[in-house]
Amino acid sequence: MSAARQGPLLLGVRHHGPGSARAVRAALDEARPAAVLIEGPPEGDALLELAADPGMRPPVALLAHAADDPGRAAFWPLADFSPEWVAIRWAQEAGVPVRFMDLPAAHSLAAAGEPDTGHAEPDAVRLDPLAVLAETAGYDDPERWWEDVVEHRGTGGAGEEALGAFEALGEAMGALRETYGDGGHHRDLVREAYMRQRMRAARREFGDGYAVVCGAWHVPALRAKTTVAADKALLTGLAKVKVETTWVPWTHRRLARAGGYGAGITSPGWYAHLFSARDRPVERWLTKVAGLLREEDRQVSSAHVIEAVRLAETLAAMRGRPLPGLTETLESVRAVMCDGSDIPLALIEDRLVVGDVLGEVPDGAPVVPLQRDLTRQQRSLRLKAEAQERELELDLRKDTDAAKSLLLHRLRLLGIGWGAPTASRSGTGTFRETWRLRWEPELSVRVAEAGIWGTTVLAAATAKAEADAAAAEELGEVTALAERCLLAGLSEALPAVLRALGDRAALDTDVARLAKALPALARSLRYGDVRGTDATALGTVAAGLAERICVALPPACAAGLDADAAAELRGHVDGVHGAVGLLADADDGLRERWSAVLRTLADRDTVPGVIRGRAARLLLDDGRLEAGETARLMGLALSPAASPADAAGWIEGFAGGSSGGGTLLVHDDRLLGLIDTWLVGVPERAFTDVLPLLRRTFGAYEPGVKRTLGELVRRGPAASAEAARATGSAPEGFAPDLDPERADAVTELVRMLLASPDGVAAA
């Protein structure tokens, strides 16, 4: 280190800044310190040697979590372009000691009520030093100011220039600290006290010949003359927890997030490019952009790249910038390569400006046993963890695909949401599954949390399922858990789950909860069949539940339900109907008993219209209700004696858009005519009340169905009758032509009905 320099070398940086990273390397090459201290938790010192492992590929993060509460965790993310990572690698290559110097995670995790990034504090109002410096320099954008004064500086190997830049930045931060104090970063005072203690220890070991790499904001506080006693006073009485640390993979996308575990930089992909492109960064960047657009079948030539470079340089010159920044390059791309459209530009921002780079950690990094088992299975099944979202199609008839399904379902049960089930595009069979996979860095914490349940994925998922069954308070929770156990192949957990299921089913008297639970059990039996799981005991519970529903449902539907409760029960009727269809193969009489329940619901005028209509429709679809009887039930429901709201509910239940009711009305003139006649006869005041319900019913129909119904209604019933006579056909129960004798038979009755009170026929 230069003899003229007094005290240690303090390199104040911006976390994850490529310009800072290049300047740090240049300064360290120039000063050649005997040791390097880096902002980060000292618990990570033992893991620093892994940074030199060939299997370590940033972005990665140092993870620290409380040993007895893995959910309380903090990450210190590092990318290739992070100054701290550059300093670590420089020290290792130079063969000098490198250590972390920030407040131990044992203290910060004990004080934190929620996870923290390690670089940001949760105070509500805090000074942004870069924003103040940018405003002072006449910039309205701190990012643009930082790019101009740091990221676009050509420090290269100019060590003296880099040292001068750090001195200038330290002086600027010193002026800010004099003016604003801690700037609202109150916890920084404690952190800085601990950093000074670590610096004193380094001075005793290395003299002043060491370097410190930390956030620029801390430099003035580390230069300040304070007493040992004052620093000890700030650190006295700090809470402490036992901490475990490891390295975990990180992603560029996570670096771009300011909240949660993100690092708060908006363009990690762009920063990575600036760091790796030693010369002509704009030209190389726009070449990448052109390559991406060509992959998306857009016509982009070399001429486009050349013109975009010229435009970006012109914009930078007009704005007084030393080099085109991200703003200028994106504006030139939009104008030259995207024809002014923001749609392809959004793709560029997602894929290149941010990116889906996922780091790698060597096998030697310490992990919980559960993570080791998960890693082993990932490799065995060739399920690579990737930052970019992708779809995985599985055929459960294949052993490998079935094993992948079991692993993903077990992880979901443990709260490790690596994969999310989604609708399959290649088929609807029960032997198919489609998953949407994306590995997020937080899942490393979820794995650590789940480690309390077992050392393998199977053992942990089994223990978690048994515990969830014991803790479940509602029947629906247990039935859903039983389904998840069968999907995950947790045969050892099923006995405990079934015991809990039987206990809660026996005590629960709420028919809505019983009806809500049955479909999950029926699906579980089907999944058990597909996966070869013995679900006999589950079938017994499901059958008993179905019997109780058949007994309790009719009284529950006639108990003066309001509109919301009736709509909820209508949904349960649908669910039970589907479940009965799955269970009927094992119980021949169940379908008949359920049909009798539906008939009871359809006939009782005390049952809300939406449920009566739905019951009639289900019976019709099953072939258990004749067309004439259906028309009779509809006629009763839509008669003047029925309230308009109840009649509208019946129509919704019978002909709701999601049930194919529109197609039914297209092919049955009589039912359509009944609805049309009722609709035009609804009183004006009542029509306003039922209109939203009718819109919900008919608005869900397919556009083609709505057009056909509109045409039929426009033509009217006379056109339908004429068409029937022309074809010699008529709806069931009606003749093609009028029968004069039958018509004359009611003449006298009509005359009596129309007679005046004195017995003389009205005019």
Side-chain angles (χ1 to χ4, degrees), residues 615-666:
R617 177 61 189 280
L618 294 175
L619 288 168
L620 179 65
D621 288 347
D622 282 353
R624 295 176 178 272
L625 199 63
E626 298 294 336
E629 181 65 8
T630 304
R632 185 187 71 83
L633 291 174
M634 180 180 284
L636 291 173
L638 304 184
S639 69
S643 71
D646 193 66
W650 196 98
I651 293 174
E652 183 189 21
F654 183 83
S658 62
S659 63
T663 304
L664 177 65
L665 296 180
V666 166

Side-chain angles (χ1 to χ4, degrees), residues 660-720:
T663 304
L664 177 65
L665 296 180
V666 166
H667 294 286
D668 196 320
D669 291 339
R670 186 166 37 153
L671 297 181
L672 177 60
L674 286 170
I675 292 178
D676 187 35
T677 301
W678 168 80
L679 187 58
V680 298
V682 175
E684 182 178 352
R685 293 180 181 177
F687 185 80
T688 304
D689 295 332
V690 301
L691 183 58
L693 186 60
L694 295 174
R695 280 179 173 170
R696 185 170 66 193
T697 300
F698 299 121
Y701 290 169
E702 295 286 340
V705 171
K706 286 192 283 189
R707 284 195 300 270
T708 302
L709 287 175
E711 179 63 22
L712 290 173
V713 172
R714 184 187 66 80
R715 286 157 47 190
S720 299

